[in-house]
Amino acid sequence: MTDTSTPQDPPAEPPMSVAEVADLGRAVLDAVGTAVVGMRDSLELALATLLAGGHVLFEDVPGLGKTLAARSLAAASGLDFRRLQCTPDLLPADITGSFLFAPATSEFVFRPGPVFTGLFLADEINRTPPKTQSALLEAMAEGQVTVEGEAFPLPRPFHVIATANPIEYEGTYALPEAQLDRFMVRLAVGYPSPEDEQRVLMNRVDRAAEVATVAGVVTAGQLLRMQAAVERVHVDADIARYCVDLAGATRAHRDVQVGASPRGAQALMLVARARAVLDARDFVLPEDVKAAAGPVLTHRISLTPQAWANGVDPAEVVRSAVAQVAGPPTVGRDRDGVGARVGRAGDVGREAR
């Protein structure tokens, strides 16, 4: 007798809980910490950005381990990793790929570029011209690239981590505001403490090899499930308004010509939400927003010519906005899943406990 039944789809995996995402997030950070020393706060924000579906810009002096951090995050997160060293003669096709003639079939066949990966590292992105930098805009915004009028989807998840060297100007091209705005956060690593720098040296001695390796903690599929769990985290309307007010405060500052855009306010909310999940919470606190404000908003601010000439730091503008804008009273959720008003932002720590 012939079986005419149709095959059943495999059962869907149950949604990942906030506690599971937090545990896996800590495991990823611990794994990365075996190779990268002294960057825990920056790495936590970078991981929160990946969980929020965003892209990261590391801007700092050479030799601080930015490339190692990107490669280690990719390995621990189960993402395919490709690195492209940006140079002044780089062309957009060197990133996106191009059509090549195949003699065997007498046809033009698309050959994907290095951007077709899980995590794409654009190393020293400010060393390549704006035309080539812009080749990443569509990939970062829409998860696809268009070559000769034909769209090619990128794998999911897809993330970009770029590094930039802020101390050299010869042979570099500053990223335009439109490109900077596509990066959800801009992070500065900073020099390690003497103790951490000593650990870097001893780790190199102990492994007896130049390249540090990081074991995978999650798969790309699990990372997608973690991102889906972040999307289910509660965001109170007061928290959303707090993000809007902070972005608006940067626009009204006397030293700012162009302040943070609505995309900046949305990025602030998304990173704060992912940070809450890494802290094993299914709701966002004002402190999550404050912690993300600097990395999310600073690179979205254009100073007035006078402020720039006077050496005003955009980070100080964001700190001023955080200090002046009153935090919301909502810090948690009640049993029905509705935001619970238990006090002003200054009472968060006591009330949340």
Side-chain angles (χ1 to χ4, degrees):
M1 183 175 177
T2 304
D3 185 6
T4 58
S5 62
T6 58
Q8 298 294 318
D9 292 333
E13 295 186 74
M16 193 174 288
S17 68
V18 168
E20 290 176 305
V21 176
D23 289 341
L24 289 174
R26 282 192 293 269
V28 168
L29 292 174
D30 290 342
V32 174
T34 62
V36 182
V37 177
M39 296 186 194
R40 185 76 179 197
D41 292 341
S42 296
L43 288 172
E44 184 174 343
L45 276 169
L47 179 58
T49 302
L50 298 187
L51 293 179
H55 311 285
V56 181
L57 175 63
F58 278 110
E59 187 175 84
D60 219 321
V61 297
L64 297 181
K66 302 184 295 295
T67 302
L68 175 61
R71 187 173 65 242
S72 300
L73 265 177
S77 303
L79 297 175
D80 293 332
F81 174 78
R82 291 187 182 180
R83 173 178 178 260
L84 183 66
Q85 183 65 48
C86 295
T87 57
D89 59 348
L90 203 67
L91 298 175
D94 295 326
I95 294 177
T96 62
S98 59
F99 282 92
L100 299 178
F101 183 74
T105 60
S106 298
E107 295 178 347
F108 284 90
V109 179
F110 179 69
R111 182 177 179 181
V115 75
F116 285 82
T117 186
L119 194 150
F120 176 68
L121 172 63
D123 216 354
E124 293 190 297
I125 191 173
N126 59 331
R127 286 197 177 277
T128 198
K131 183 178 180 180
T132 304
Q133 293 174 8
S134 66
L136 284 174
L137 280 175
E138 183 184 13
M140 296 168 68
E142 302 177 24
Q144 68 173 27
V145 297
T146 301
V147 180
E148 296 186 14
E150 187 172 348
F152 297 91
L154 297 172
R156 292 185 63 246
F158 168 74
H159 299 280
V160 173
I161 294 182
T163 67
N165 179 357
I167 63 172
E168 295 184 20
Y169 296 98
E170 185 175 354
T172 62
Y173 306 84
L175 271 68
E177 282 71 16
Q179 180 87 357
L180 283 173
D181 201 41
R182 297 294 180 181
F183 287 99
M184 191 170 279
V185 298
R186 182 176 67 177
L187 301 174
V189 177
Y191 285 106
S193 66
E195 293 75 19
D196 286 338
E197 194 166 355
Q198 181 183 14
R199 283 180 56 201
V200 172
L201 272 58
M202 295 309 302
N203 285 351
R204 173 62 180 87
V205 172
D206 293 341
R207 67 174 178 265
E210 180 62 31
V211 180
T213 58
V214 172
V217 175
V218 298
T219 64
Q222 286 177 308
L223 182 61
L224 284 173
R225 293 179 62 208
M226 294 170 72
Q227 292 174 341
V230 172
E231 290 292 340
R232 296 192 301 270
V233 169
H234 174 76
V235 178
D236 192 88
D238 283 346
I239 291 290
R241 183 54 187 261
Y242 185 43
C243 296
V244 170
D245 290 344
L246 285 175
T250 66
R251 303 167 201 158
H253 197 280
R254 66 179 181 277
D255 292 326
V256 174
Q257 187 171 25
V258 179
S261 66
R263 183 186 289 124
Q266 177 174 280
L268 185 57
M269 180 192 69
L270 296 178
V271 174
R273 186 171 63 176
R275 193 176 181 276
V277 173
L278 291 176
D279 202 29
R281 281 181 282 106
D282 64 349
F283 58 91
V284 182
L285 296 176
E287 272 60 26
D288 298 318
V289 178
K290 293 177 182 179
V296 170
L297 299 180
T298 300
H299 63 290
R300 292 180 161 91
I301 294 174
S302 296
L303 298 175
T304 63
Q306 182 178 2
W308 181 85
N310 291 334
V312 174
D313 186 359
E316 183 58 39
V317 173
V318 176
R319 285 192 290 268
S320 174
V322 171
Q324 293 176 6
V325 176
T330 302
V331 299
R333 299 174 69 183
D334 61 20
R335 295 180 181 177
D336 298 324
V338 180
R341 301 176 182 274
V342 295
R344 301 304 298 179
D347 300 326
V348 166
R350 181 175 65 254
E351 299 289 353
R353 288 191 294 270

